[in-house]
Amino acid sequence: MPLHHRFGPGDLLRCRFAVSPLWETQGAVRTLLRPHRQGYHLPWLRQIRAAADRLDLRPLWALMPARGHSCDFLGAPPLGPGSTFAQELERVRSADPWAAHDEIRRSLADTPGATAGETGQLLLSDPERAVELLADLLDQAWQVLVAPHWPRLRALLEADVLFHARRLAAGGLAELFDGLHPSLRWDAETDTLVVDRPSHHDRHLGGQGLLLVPSAFIWPNVAGGFEPPWQPTVVYPARGIGALWSGSAGPAPQAVARLLGRGRAEVLCALDEPASTTALAHRLGRAPSSVSAHLKALHGAGLLQPHRRGHQVLYERTPLGIALATGDGGLA
């Protein structure tokens, strides 16, 4: 049976996006466990493998069944678009131990033999200690697997939010949901978002609206099914992960480089997706101060448009910038 998210009149006005560093940490841990999720992330795996091998992630992996219940308290929907990892981790640490115990029991039951195993017994024997242990492991996983790469990941996720927010403004919910993931479809007759999944979930949003969370590490899947008291949420693969771990962008076209100078041309041509100064500096292997100067110059020339997203400013090409960078109209 699929997942159904049933909208009421108030819910249609309460769809919003958020980025979750905690969810990316959970996703990174799950990617280490599931080879079919690793395709786009092989460069990242090569970078983190030695450090990851020193982590004991078995308690977290035990709660990640191939099919079944994953503990909501370990990857709860973020409270807001600018939630930090520290804020999200504090919610994990403050989870009610006995509610967490029930979720742990349900999750272990979905993997044959997990409940009776050593790790399962450890997690079930002392609920308070289990919450503390799992939070500590998430903290370690964040520091090793995600934090060193967070500027690049965050830029990708926030660029995705900007793209889909514009689709929502231009075409409404039907167009937005149609482009998020192949398993999502909008039923206009019943105002229901249907997620084709093997599990069953049916929830009336009840005026809370729906939270949409892009993720780099959830690919190729989509997640939903959060139960009360958690905010109704769908987590979907972010756009552009195929180029997430690529090195520096390719050389700018000679004609654009002659017109703008090599440095500014490379910055302009690297903006296939909206990105922040920090993300572009990582991508191009240049100092952030240098990239910032080029961005200001390109903005002043009408080739880029900045957009604020939370605490960051993302830059994207204007129509003139697109034409110049791609050669449309004979400009390159």
Side-chain angles (χ1 to χ4, degrees), residues 256 259-260 268 298-305 316-329 331-332:
V256 182
L259 179 65
L260 300 177
L268 179 67
L298 294 167
H299 175 218
L303 301 177
L304 299 181
Q305 180 66 37
E316 66 173 334
R317 297 189 294 226
T318 63
L320 178 59
I322 293 171
L324 188 61
T326 63
D328 187 17
L331 290 173

Side-chain angles (χ1 to χ4, degrees), residues 6-7 185-193:
R6 302 188 186 277
F7 284 66
R185 57 185 173 86
W186 174 249
D187 185 339
E189 292 186 1
T190 61
D191 287 339
T192 299
L193 177 65

Side-chain angles (χ1 to χ4, degrees), residues 15-329:
C15 284
R16 59 188 177 88
F17 291 88
V19 170
S20 172
L22 176 62
W23 186 272
E24 291 310 285
T25 303
Q26 271 251 54
V29 172
R30 196 181 296 266
T31 297
L32 293 176
L33 179 64
R34 308 277 184 228
H36 77 279
R37 297 170 63 128
Q38 296 175 2
Y40 284 122
H41 300 297
L42 293 178
W44 167 79
L45 284 166
R46 287 192 290 269
Q47 294 180 54
I48 60 89
R49 177 60 70 184
D53 286 345
R54 294 192 289 270
L55 298 176
D56 183 2
L57 299 174
R58 288 175 296 174
L60 290 173
W61 284 337
L63 303 178
M64 295 178 174
R67 180 176 296 180
H69 180 73
S70 294
C71 297
D72 288 344
F73 81 95
L74 293 177
L79 291 173
S83 297
T84 66
F85 178 79
Q87 290 169 332
E88 292 190 285
L89 185 65
E90 182 55 35
R91 294 177 72 198
V92 178
R93 293 194 186 279
S94 62
D96 176 79
W98 289 106
H101 181 271
D102 287 342
E103 284 209 75
I104 291 170
R105 178 184 49 78
R106 288 179 57 194
S107 185
L108 290 170
D110 285 328
T111 300
T115 299
E118 180 181 353
T119 300
Q121 288 299 299
L122 172 67
L123 293 172
L124 292 172
S125 62
D126 185 339
E128 291 187 6
R129 175 59 186 140
V131 170
E132 182 181 356
L133 170 64
L134 293 167
D136 287 346
L137 286 177
L138 285 170
D139 193 15
Q140 294 170 31
W142 159 259
Q143 299 297 337
V144 171
L145 306 179
V146 179
H149 310 282
W150 183 238
R152 183 187 296 247
L153 288 161
R154 182 177 59 196
L156 176 85
L157 302 177
E158 292 185 339
D160 178 273
V161 169
L162 181 61
F163 175 84
H164 287 299
R166 290 183 172 180
R167 292 194 67 194
L168 174 62
L173 288 174
E175 183 170 335
L176 169 67
F177 293 140
D178 183 58
L180 286 180
H181 192 269
S183 69
L184 271 63
R185 57 185 173 86
W186 174 249
D187 185 339
E189 292 186 1
T190 61
D191 287 339
T192 299
L193 177 65
V194 181
V195 185
D196 290 326
R197 289 282 304 277
S199 56
H200 176 64
H201 174 77
D202 196 317
R203 184 170 183 185
H204 291 267
L205 304 189
Q208 297 182 75
L210 186 67
L211 183 64
L212 299 168
V213 180
S215 171
F217 286 109
I218 197 173
W219 179 91
N221 301 319
V222 64
F226 290 90
E227 300 175 354
W230 305 110
Q231 165 75 35
T233 301
V234 170
V235 186
Y236 64 92
R239 300 171 71 250
I241 63 171
L244 174 61
W245 305 113
S246 61
S248 61
Q254 288 296 324
V256 182
R258 287 195 298 268
L259 179 65
L260 300 177
R262 175 62 60 184
R264 290 175 187 173
E266 289 181 351
V267 169
L268 179 67
C269 292
L271 280 167
D272 292 326
E273 298 280 349
S276 66
T277 302
T278 302
L280 279 173
H282 277 279
R283 189 180 305 172
L284 295 168
R286 294 178 175 269
S289 58
S290 173
V291 171
S292 177
H294 292 320
L295 288 169
K296 289 179 181 177
L298 294 167
H299 175 218
L303 301 177
L304 299 181
Q305 180 66 37
H307 299 275
R308 180 163 291 280
R309 172 66 185 170
H311 62 284
Q312 280 198 315
V313 175
L314 303 181
Y315 290 86
E316 66 173 334
R317 297 189 294 226
T318 63
L320 178 59
I322 293 171
L324 188 61
T326 63
D328 187 17

